[in-house]
Amino acid sequence: MASSSQNPLQNFHDLLPLMAGKLGGDGLVGELCNGFNLLVDGEKGVITFESLKRNSALLGLQDLTDDDLRCMLKEGD
């Protein structure tokens, strides 16, 4: 039985190759842009810790810890 405090990132599977295959190059870039626009800080034009934390629930990631979010930002940089 999985612990309810289990880190959601431990079960991460890289679906980028599958998405690229299904959407094609232009479709994938479009979806990545949509995701960026969803998470971006409108005033700064970049994804900040605050904008990621505020909008992560829209992606079903409301259970991520602040450390998880910081790791995501670091990976994105």
Side-chain angles (χ1 to χ4, degrees):
M1 176 188 256
S3 167
S4 62
S5 64
Q6 183 179 4
N7 182 338
L9 294 180
Q10 289 176 341
N11 294 322
F12 174 78
H13 297 285
D14 185 2
L15 299 177
L16 192 61
L18 179 64
M19 290 172 57
K22 289 188 179 250
L23 298 173
D26 290 340
L28 178 61
V29 169
E31 286 301 309
L32 292 174
C33 288
N34 289 339
F36 176 82
N37 291 330
L38 182 70
L39 299 173
V40 71
D41 179 307
E43 293 180 12
K44 296 181 180 176
V46 296
I47 298 172
T48 64
F49 173 79
E50 292 79 16
S51 69
L52 180 60
K53 184 170 183 151
R54 181 176 55 249
N55 297 314
S56 60
L58 297 172
L59 299 174
L61 302 174
Q62 64 275 1
D63 294 333
L64 294 178
T65 66
D66 286 357
D67 285 340
D68 293 332
L69 296 173
R70 284 186 191 94
C71 287
M72 289 174 71
L73 286 172
K74 185 178 177 183
E75 284 295 315
D77 286 344

Coordinates of all heavy atoms in Angstrom, one line a residue:
M1 N 0.8 -1.2 0.0 CA 0.0 0.0 0.0 C 0.9 1.2 0.0 O 1.8 1.3 0.8 CB -0.9 0.0 1.2 CG -1.8 1.2 1.3 SD -2.6 1.3 2.9 CE -4.3 0.9 2.3
A2 N 0.6 2.2 -0.9 CA 1.4 3.4 -1.0 C 1.0 4.4 0.1 O -0.1 4.5 0.5 CB 1.2 4.1 -2.3
S3 N 2.0 5.0 0.7 CA 1.8 6.0 1.7 C 1.2 7.3 1.1 O 1.5 7.7 0.0 CB 3.2 6.4 2.3 OG 3.1 7.5 3.1
S4 N 0.3 7.9 1.9 CA -0.3 9.1 1.4 C 0.7 10.3 1.3 O 0.4 11.3 0.6 CB -1.5 9.5 2.2 OG -1.1 9.8 3.5
S5 N 1.8 10.1 2.0 CA 2.8 11.2 2.0 C 3.9 10.9 0.9 O 4.9 11.6 0.8 CB 3.5 11.3 3.3 OG 4.2 10.1 3.6
Q6 N 3.7 9.9 0.0 CA 4.6 9.6 -1.0 C 4.8 10.8 -2.0 O 3.8 11.4 -2.3 CB 4.1 8.4 -1.8 CG 5.1 7.9 -2.8 CD 4.6 6.7 -3.5 OE1 3.5 6.2 -3.3 NE2 5.4 6.2 -4.4
N7 N 6.0 11.0 -2.4 CA 6.3 12.1 -3.3 C 5.7 11.8 -4.7 O 6.1 10.8 -5.3 CB 7.8 12.3 -3.3 CG 8.2 13.5 -4.2 OD1 7.5 13.9 -5.1 ND2 9.4 14.0 -3.9
P8 N 4.8 12.7 -5.2 CA 4.3 12.4 -6.5 C 5.3 12.3 -7.6 O 5.1 11.7 -8.7 CB 3.3 13.5 -6.8 CG 3.3 14.4 -5.6 CD 4.3 13.9 -4.6
L9 N 6.4 13.0 -7.5 CA 7.5 13.0 -8.5 C 8.2 11.7 -8.6 O 8.8 11.4 -9.6 CB 8.5 14.1 -8.3 CG 7.9 15.5 -8.4 CD1 9.0 16.6 -8.2 CD2 7.3 15.7 -9.8
Q10 N 8.1 10.8 -7.5 CA 8.7 9.5 -7.6 C 8.1 8.6 -8.6 O 8.7 7.7 -9.1 CB 8.6 8.9 -6.2 CG 9.5 9.5 -5.1 CD 9.3 8.9 -3.8 OE1 8.3 8.2 -3.5 NE2 10.3 9.1 -2.9
N11 N 6.9 8.9 -9.0 CA 6.1 8.1 -10.0 C 6.1 8.7 -11.3 O 5.3 8.4 -12.2 CB 4.7 7.8 -9.5 CG 4.7 7.0 -8.2 OD1 5.5 6.0 -8.1 ND2 3.8 7.3 -7.3
F12 N 6.9 9.7 -11.5 CA 7.0 10.5 -12.8 C 7.4 9.6 -13.9 O 8.4 8.9 -13.8 CB 7.9 11.7 -12.7 CG 8.1 12.4 -14.0 CD1 7.1 13.3 -14.4 CD2 9.2 12.3 -14.7 CE1 7.2 13.9 -15.6 CE2 9.4 12.9 -15.9 CZ 8.4 13.8 -16.4
H13 N 6.7 9.7 -15.0 CA 7.1 9.0 -16.3 C 7.3 10.0 -17.4 O 6.3 10.8 -17.5 CB 6.1 7.9 -16.7 CG 5.9 6.8 -15.6 ND1 6.9 5.8 -15.5 CD2 5.0 6.6 -14.7 CE1 6.5 5.0 -14.5 NE2 5.3 5.5 -14.0
D14 N 8.3 10.0 -18.1 CA 8.6 11.0 -19.1 C 7.7 10.6 -20.3 O 7.9 9.6 -21.0 CB 10.0 11.0 -19.5 CG 10.3 12.1 -20.6 OD1 9.4 12.8 -20.9 OD2 11.5 12.2 -21.0
L15 N 6.6 11.4 -20.5 CA 5.7 11.2 -21.6 C 6.0 12.1 -22.8 O 5.2 12.0 -23.8 CB 4.3 11.4 -21.1 CG 3.8 10.5 -20.0 CD1 2.4 10.8 -19.5 CD2 3.9 9.0 -20.4
L16 N 7.1 12.8 -22.8 CA 7.4 13.7 -23.9 C 7.5 13.0 -25.2 O 7.0 13.4 -26.2 CB 8.6 14.6 -23.5 CG 8.9 15.7 -24.5 CD1 7.7 16.7 -24.4 CD2 10.2 16.4 -24.1
P17 N 8.3 11.9 -25.2 CA 8.4 11.2 -26.5 C 7.0 10.7 -27.1 O 6.8 10.8 -28.3 CB 9.3 10.0 -26.2 CG 10.1 10.4 -25.0 CD 9.1 11.3 -24.2
L18 N 6.2 10.2 -26.2 CA 4.8 9.8 -26.6 C 4.0 11.0 -27.1 O 3.4 10.9 -28.2 CB 4.1 9.1 -25.4 CG 2.7 8.6 -25.7 CD1 2.7 7.5 -26.7 CD2 2.0 8.2 -24.4
M19 N 4.1 12.1 -26.4 CA 3.3 13.3 -26.9 C 3.9 13.8 -28.2 O 3.1 14.1 -29.1 CB 3.5 14.4 -25.8 CG 2.7 14.2 -24.5 SD 3.1 15.4 -23.3 CE 2.6 16.9 -24.1
A20 N 5.2 13.8 -28.4 CA 5.8 14.2 -29.6 C 5.3 13.3 -30.8 O 5.0 13.8 -31.9 CB 7.3 14.2 -29.5
G21 N 5.2 12.0 -30.5 CA 4.8 11.1 -31.6 C 3.3 11.3 -31.9 O 3.0 11.2 -33.1
K22 N 2.5 11.6 -31.0 CA 1.1 11.8 -31.2 C 0.7 13.2 -31.8 O -0.1 13.3 -32.6 CB 0.3 11.5 -30.0 CG 0.2 10.1 -29.6 CD -0.7 9.9 -28.4 CE -0.8 8.4 -28.1 NZ -2.0 7.8 -28.4
L23 N 1.4 14.2 -31.3 CA 1.1 15.6 -31.7 C 1.9 16.1 -32.9 O 1.5 17.1 -33.5 CB 1.3 16.5 -30.5 CG 0.5 16.3 -29.3 CD1 0.9 17.2 -28.2 CD2 -1.0 16.5 -29.6
G24 N 3.1 15.5 -33.1 CA 4.0 16.0 -34.1 C 4.7 17.2 -33.5 O 4.4 17.7 -32.5
G25 N 5.7 17.7 -34.2 CA 6.6 18.8 -33.7 C 5.8 20.0 -33.4 O 5.9 20.6 -32.4
D26 N 5.0 20.5 -34.4 CA 4.3 21.8 -34.2 C 3.3 21.6 -33.1 O 3.1 22.6 -32.3 CB 3.6 22.2 -35.5 CG 4.6 22.7 -36.6 OD1 5.8 23.0 -36.2 OD2 4.2 22.7 -37.7
G27 N 2.6 20.5 -33.0 CA 1.6 20.3 -32.0 C 2.2 20.3 -30.6 O 1.6 20.8 -29.7
L28 N 3.4 19.6 -30.5 CA 4.0 19.5 -29.2 C 4.5 20.9 -28.8 O 4.3 21.3 -27.6 CB 5.3 18.6 -29.3 CG 6.1 18.5 -28.0 CD1 5.2 17.9 -26.9 CD2 7.3 17.6 -28.3
V29 N 5.1 21.7 -29.7 CA 5.5 23.1 -29.3 C 4.3 23.9 -28.9 O 4.4 24.6 -27.9 CB 6.3 23.7 -30.5 CG1 6.5 25.2 -30.2 CG2 7.6 23.0 -30.7
G30 N 3.2 23.7 -29.6 CA 2.0 24.4 -29.2 C 1.5 24.1 -27.8 O 1.1 25.0 -27.0
E31 N 1.5 22.8 -27.5 CA 1.1 22.4 -26.1 C 2.1 22.9 -25.1 O 1.7 23.3 -24.0 CB 1.0 20.9 -26.1 CG -0.2 20.3 -26.8 CD -1.5 20.9 -26.2 OE1 -1.7 20.9 -25.0 OE2 -2.3 21.4 -27.0
L32 N 3.4 22.9 -25.4 CA 4.4 23.4 -24.4 C 4.1 24.9 -24.2 O 4.2 25.4 -23.1 CB 5.8 23.1 -24.9 CG 6.2 21.6 -24.9 CD1 7.6 21.5 -25.6 CD2 6.2 21.1 -23.5
C33 N 3.8 25.6 -25.2 CA 3.5 27.0 -25.1 C 2.3 27.3 -24.3 O 2.2 28.2 -23.4 CB 3.4 27.7 -26.5 SG 4.9 27.9 -27.4
N34 N 1.3 26.4 -24.5 CA 0.0 26.5 -23.7 C 0.3 26.3 -22.2 O -0.2 27.0 -21.3 CB -1.0 25.5 -24.1 CG -1.6 25.9 -25.5 OD1 -1.6 27.0 -25.9 ND2 -2.2 24.9 -26.1
G35 N 1.2 25.3 -21.9 CA 1.6 25.0 -20.5 C 2.3 26.2 -19.9 O 2.1 26.6 -18.8
F36 N 3.2 26.8 -20.7 CA 4.0 27.9 -20.2 C 3.0 29.1 -19.9 O 3.1 29.7 -18.9 CB 5.0 28.4 -21.3 CG 5.8 29.6 -20.9 CD1 6.9 29.5 -20.0 CD2 5.4 30.8 -21.4 CE1 7.5 30.7 -19.7 CE2 6.0 32.0 -21.0 CZ 7.1 31.9 -20.1
N37 N 2.1 29.4 -20.8 CA 1.2 30.5 -20.6 C 0.3 30.2 -19.4 O -0.1 31.2 -18.8 CB 0.3 30.7 -21.9 CG 1.2 31.2 -23.0 OD1 2.1 31.9 -22.8 ND2 0.8 30.9 -24.2
L38 N 0.0 29.0 -19.1 CA -0.8 28.7 -17.9 C 0.0 29.0 -16.6 O -0.6 29.4 -15.6 CB -1.2 27.2 -18.0 CG -2.1 26.7 -16.9 CD1 -3.5 27.3 -17.0 CD2 -2.1 25.2 -16.9
L39 N 1.3 28.8 -16.6 CA 2.1 28.9 -15.4 C 2.9 30.2 -15.3 O 3.4 30.5 -14.2 CB 3.1 27.7 -15.4 CG 2.5 26.3 -15.3 CD1 3.5 25.2 -15.5 CD2 1.7 26.1 -14.1
V40 N 2.9 31.0 -16.3 CA 3.8 32.2 -16.3 C 3.3 33.3 -15.4 O 2.1 33.4 -15.2 CB 3.9 32.7 -17.8 CG1 2.7 33.3 -18.2 CG2 5.1 33.7 -17.9
D41 N 4.2 34.0 -14.8 CA 3.9 35.2 -14.1 C 3.7 36.3 -15.2 O 4.6 36.7 -15.9 CB 5.0 35.6 -13.2 CG 4.8 36.9 -12.4 OD1 4.5 37.9 -13.0 OD2 4.9 36.9 -11.2
G42 N 2.4 36.8 -15.3 CA 2.1 37.7 -16.3 C 2.9 39.0 -16.3 O 3.1 39.6 -17.4
E43 N 3.3 39.5 -15.2 CA 4.1 40.7 -15.1 C 5.5 40.5 -15.5 O 6.1 41.4 -16.1 CB 3.9 41.3 -13.7 CG 2.5 41.8 -13.4 CD 2.4 42.4 -12.0 OE1 3.5 42.7 -11.4 OE2 1.3 42.6 -11.6
K44 N 6.1 39.4 -15.1 CA 7.5 39.1 -15.3 C 7.8 38.4 -16.6 O 8.9 38.4 -17.0 CB 8.1 38.4 -14.1 CG 8.0 39.2 -12.8 CD 8.6 38.4 -11.6 CE 8.5 39.2 -10.4 NZ 9.0 38.5 -9.2
G45 N 6.8 37.7 -17.1 CA 7.0 37.0 -18.3 C 7.8 35.7 -18.2 O 8.3 35.1 -19.2
V46 N 8.0 35.2 -17.0 CA 8.7 33.9 -16.7 C 7.9 33.1 -15.7 O 7.0 33.7 -15.0 CB 10.1 34.1 -16.2 CG1 11.0 34.8 -17.3 CG2 10.1 34.9 -14.9
I47 N 8.1 31.9 -15.6 CA 7.5 31.1 -14.5 C 8.3 31.3 -13.3 O 9.5 31.0 -13.2 CB 7.5 29.6 -14.9 CG1 6.6 29.4 -16.2 CG2 6.9 28.7 -13.8 CD1 6.7 28.0 -16.7
T48 N 7.7 31.8 -12.2 CA 8.3 32.1 -11.0 C 7.8 31.0 -10.0 O 6.9 30.3 -10.2 CB 8.0 33.5 -10.4 OG1 6.6 33.5 -10.2 CG2 8.4 34.6 -11.4
F49 N 8.5 30.9 -8.8 CA 8.1 30.0 -7.8 C 6.6 30.3 -7.4 O 5.8 29.4 -7.3 CB 9.0 30.1 -6.6 CG 8.4 29.3 -5.4 CD1 8.6 27.9 -5.4 CD2 7.7 29.9 -4.4 CE1 8.1 27.2 -4.3 CE2 7.2 29.2 -3.3 CZ 7.4 27.8 -3.3
E50 N 6.3 31.6 -7.3 CA 5.0 32.0 -6.8 C 3.9 31.6 -7.9 O 2.8 31.1 -7.6 CB 4.9 33.5 -6.5 CG 5.7 33.9 -5.3 CD 7.2 34.0 -5.6 OE1 7.7 34.1 -6.7 OE2 8.0 34.0 -4.6
S51 N 4.2 31.9 -9.2 CA 3.3 31.6 -10.2 C 3.1 30.1 -10.4 O 2.0 29.6 -10.6 CB 3.6 32.2 -11.6 OG 4.8 31.7 -12.1
L52 N 4.2 29.3 -10.2 CA 4.1 27.9 -10.3 C 3.2 27.3 -9.2 O 2.3 26.5 -9.3 CB 5.5 27.2 -10.3 CG 5.5 25.7 -10.4 CD1 4.8 25.2 -11.7 CD2 7.0 25.3 -10.3
K53 N 3.5 27.8 -8.0 CA 2.7 27.4 -6.8 C 1.3 27.7 -6.9 O 0.4 26.9 -6.7 CB 3.3 28.0 -5.5 CG 2.6 27.5 -4.3 CD 3.4 27.9 -3.0 CE 2.7 27.3 -1.8 NZ 3.6 27.1 -0.7
R54 N 1.0 28.9 -7.4 CA -0.4 29.4 -7.5 C -1.2 28.6 -8.6 O -2.4 28.3 -8.4 CB -0.4 30.9 -7.9 CG -1.7 31.5 -8.0 CD -1.6 33.0 -8.3 NE -0.8 33.4 -9.5 CZ 0.4 34.0 -9.4 NH1 0.9 34.4 -8.2 NH2 1.1 34.3 -10.5
N55 N -0.5 28.2 -9.7 CA -1.2 27.6 -10.8 C -1.0 26.1 -10.9 O -1.6 25.5 -11.8 CB -0.8 28.3 -12.1 CG -1.1 29.8 -12.1 OD1 -2.3 30.1 -11.8 ND2 -0.2 30.6 -12.5
S56 N -0.2 25.5 -10.1 CA 0.1 24.1 -10.2 C -1.2 23.2 -10.0 O -1.3 22.2 -10.6 CB 1.2 23.7 -9.2 OG 0.8 23.9 -7.9
A57 N -2.1 23.7 -9.2 CA -3.3 22.9 -9.0 C -4.1 22.8 -10.3 O -4.8 21.8 -10.5 CB -4.2 23.6 -7.9
L58 N -4.0 23.7 -11.2 CA -4.7 23.6 -12.5 C -4.2 22.4 -13.3 O -4.9 21.9 -14.2 CB -4.4 24.9 -13.4 CG -5.0 26.2 -12.8 CD1 -4.5 27.4 -13.6 CD2 -6.5 26.1 -12.7
L59 N -3.0 21.9 -13.0 CA -2.4 20.7 -13.6 C -2.5 19.5 -12.8 O -2.0 18.5 -13.1 CB -0.9 21.0 -13.9 CG -0.6 22.2 -14.9 CD1 0.9 22.4 -14.9 CD2 -1.2 21.9 -16.2
G60 N -3.3 19.6 -11.7 CA -3.4 18.5 -10.8 C -2.2 18.2 -9.9 O -2.0 17.1 -9.4
L61 N -1.4 19.3 -9.7 CA -0.2 19.1 -8.9 C -0.3 19.8 -7.6 O 0.7 20.3 -7.0 CB 1.0 19.7 -9.7 CG 1.2 19.0 -11.1 CD1 2.3 19.8 -11.8 CD2 1.5 17.6 -10.9
Q62 N -1.5 20.0 -7.0 CA -1.7 20.7 -5.8 C -1.0 20.1 -4.6 O -0.8 20.7 -3.6 CB -3.2 20.9 -5.5 CG -4.0 19.6 -5.3 CD -4.4 19.0 -6.5 OE1 -4.2 19.5 -7.6 NE2 -5.1 17.9 -6.4
D63 N -0.6 18.8 -4.7 CA 0.0 18.1 -3.5 C 1.5 18.2 -3.5 O 2.2 17.7 -2.6 CB -0.4 16.6 -3.5 CG -1.9 16.5 -3.3 OD1 -2.5 17.3 -2.6 OD2 -2.4 15.4 -3.7
L64 N 2.1 18.9 -4.5 CA 3.6 19.1 -4.5 C 4.0 20.0 -3.4 O 3.4 21.0 -3.1 CB 4.0 19.6 -5.8 CG 3.8 18.7 -7.1 CD1 4.3 19.4 -8.3 CD2 4.6 17.4 -6.9
T65 N 5.1 19.7 -2.8 CA 5.7 20.5 -1.7 C 6.5 21.7 -2.4 O 6.8 21.7 -3.6 CB 6.7 19.7 -0.9 OG1 7.8 19.3 -1.7 CG2 6.1 18.4 -0.3
D66 N 6.8 22.6 -1.5 CA 7.6 23.8 -2.0 C 8.9 23.3 -2.6 O 9.4 23.8 -3.6 CB 7.8 24.8 -0.9 CG 6.6 25.6 -0.5 OD1 5.5 25.4 -1.2 OD2 6.6 26.4 0.4
D67 N 9.5 22.3 -1.9 CA 10.8 21.7 -2.4 C 10.6 21.1 -3.8 O 11.5 21.2 -4.7 CB 11.4 20.7 -1.5 CG 12.0 21.3 -0.2 OD1 12.3 22.5 -0.3 OD2 12.1 20.6 0.8
D68 N 9.5 20.4 -4.0 CA 9.2 19.8 -5.3 C 9.1 20.9 -6.4 O 9.6 20.8 -7.5 CB 7.9 19.0 -5.3 CG 7.9 17.8 -4.5 OD1 9.0 17.2 -4.3 OD2 6.9 17.4 -4.0
L69 N 8.4 22.0 -6.0 CA 8.2 23.1 -7.0 C 9.6 23.8 -7.3 O 9.8 24.1 -8.5 CB 7.2 24.1 -6.4 CG 5.8 23.6 -6.3 CD1 5.0 24.7 -5.5 CD2 5.2 23.2 -7.6
R70 N 10.4 23.9 -6.3 CA 11.7 24.5 -6.5 C 12.6 23.6 -7.4 O 13.3 24.1 -8.3 CB 12.4 24.7 -5.2 CG 11.9 25.9 -4.5 CD 12.8 26.3 -3.2 NE 12.1 27.2 -2.4 CZ 11.2 27.0 -1.4 NH1 11.0 25.7 -1.0 NH2 10.7 28.0 -0.7
C71 N 12.5 22.3 -7.3 CA 13.2 21.4 -8.1 C 12.7 21.5 -9.6 O 13.5 21.4 -10.5 CB 13.0 19.9 -7.6 SG 14.0 19.5 -6.1
M72 N 11.4 21.6 -9.7 CA 10.8 21.8 -11.1 C 11.4 23.0 -11.7 O 11.7 23.0 -12.9 CB 9.3 21.9 -11.0 CG 8.6 20.6 -10.7 SD 6.8 20.7 -10.5 CE 6.3 21.0 -12.2
L73 N 11.4 24.1 -11.0 CA 12.0 25.4 -11.5 C 13.5 25.2 -11.9 O 13.9 25.7 -13.0 CB 11.9 26.5 -10.5 CG 10.4 27.1 -10.4 CD1 10.4 28.1 -9.2 CD2 10.0 27.7 -11.7
K74 N 14.2 24.5 -11.0 CA 15.6 24.3 -11.3 C 15.8 23.5 -12.6 O 16.7 23.8 -13.4 CB 16.3 23.6 -10.1 CG 17.8 23.4 -10.2 CD 18.3 22.8 -9.0 CE 19.8 22.6 -9.2 NZ 20.4 21.9 -8.1
E75 N 15.0 22.4 -12.8 CA 15.1 21.6 -13.9 C 14.7 22.4 -15.2 O 15.3 22.2 -16.2 CB 14.1 20.4 -13.8 CG 14.6 19.3 -12.9 CD 15.9 18.6 -13.4 OE1 16.0 18.3 -14.6 OE2 16.8 18.4 -12.6
G76 N 13.7 23.3 -15.1 CA 13.3 24.1 -16.2 C 14.4 25.1 -16.6 O 14.5 25.4 -17.8
D77 N 15.1 25.6 -15.7 CA 16.2 26.5 -16.0 C 17.3 25.8 -16.7 O 18.0 26.3 -17.5 CB 16.7 27.2 -14.7 CG 15.8 28.2 -14.2 OD1 14.8 28.6 -14.9 OD2 15.9 28.6 -13.0

